[in-house]
Amino acid sequence: TNSGYIVGYALTTPNSNGIIQVLVEPGYYSPTGSTSLQGNNATFSSLNVSGPTTLSSLSVSGSETVSQNLNVGGEIFANSESILNSLNVSGSASFIGLQISSNGHLITSGNMPKVSALPASGGSSKVSITGNDISGTVTITTGTTPTAGDLVKITFANAYGATPRVLLTPDNSSSATIESYNDLKSTTSFDIASLKIPKASTTYQFDYYIVQ
């Protein structure tokens, strides 16, 4: 699959003794993309496929565009993908910020959003966040005299192209009692708010999952 000097071209596949017939023709060989596709673990800087393609392993360092179906029996790793029809992966697939593992797990990654306390969380409240723009956990420890309303603001590390959907779940029993909800959604942030007044000096924890 790489350019270099050769002694000839194989005419047959190896027999049981590992012997092949060769057309002896010394020279310099520079494979085309179509020739490289016939090798194992082919690696390309850019790949464009206009028809159905089945690969056992594919590694593309640049961008790839597939206008039909792409079927991968092993793993696919890509920095930029454009699949115009469908993508079928029987192994595992890794994309920037998202990994779908072969055992059915959806694993997210990326930069951590910012979280900031809002007045309803009370004086001297403490807030923290773990996770990324897709999923994570927000922890709020209320301060003195909290009130009902917007407790914290989560600001995305990278803005969404349109206002996303935010799924918010209470992650401890205290959080379930204040009837929480997400508020003021935008492409850049959302708030966690409560209908009931939280208790002072109490920890409230929420899981979030965000999709556009």
Side-chain angles (χ1 to χ4, degrees), residues 35-201:
T35 304
S36 296
L37 272 173
Q38 300 176 38
N40 293 326
N41 302 316
T43 300
F44 307 92
S45 59
S46 182
L47 174 65
N48 292 287
V49 181
S50 59
T53 304
T54 300
L55 306 171
S56 60
S57 182
L58 173 66
S59 176
V60 181
S61 58
S63 62
E64 59 284 342
T65 300
V66 181
S67 58
Q68 294 295 322
N69 294 344
L70 173 63
N71 297 287
V72 183
E75 297 180 337
I76 177 170
F77 298 94
N79 294 329
S80 176
E81 344 30 70
S82 177
I83 309 298
L84 304 183
N85 197 314
S86 63
L87 171 66
N88 299 299
V89 182
S90 59
S92 62
S94 296
F95 307 92
I96 297 175
L98 179 64
Q99 176 182 339
I100 305 172
S101 68
S102 56
N103 55 12
H105 293 165
L106 182 64
I107 303 167
T108 64
S109 61
N111 295 327
M112 186 181 300
K114 295 180 180 179
V115 61
S116 53
L118 297 177
S121 62
S124 301
S125 62
K126 297 179 180 180
V127 297
S128 63
I129 189 170
T130 59
N132 49 65
D133 282 352
I134 302 174
S135 64
T137 300
V138 178
T139 302
I140 307 165
T141 301
T142 54
T144 57
T145 62
T147 62
D150 289 11
L151 301 171
V152 295
K153 179 177 291 293
I154 291 87
T155 303
F156 304 131
N158 298 288
Y160 282 88
T163 302
R165 294 171 176 84
V166 178
L167 306 179
L168 190 65
T169 304
D171 202 33
N172 61 9
S173 58
S174 298
S175 303
T177 63
I178 61 173
E179 299 182 11
S180 59
Y181 61 98
N182 64 75
D183 193 23
L184 301 178
K185 288 189 304 181
S186 71
T187 58
T188 59
S189 65
F190 73 97
D191 292 358
I192 297 178
S194 67
L195 287 175
K196 294 185 176 180
I197 299 174
K199 294 180 180 179
S201 302

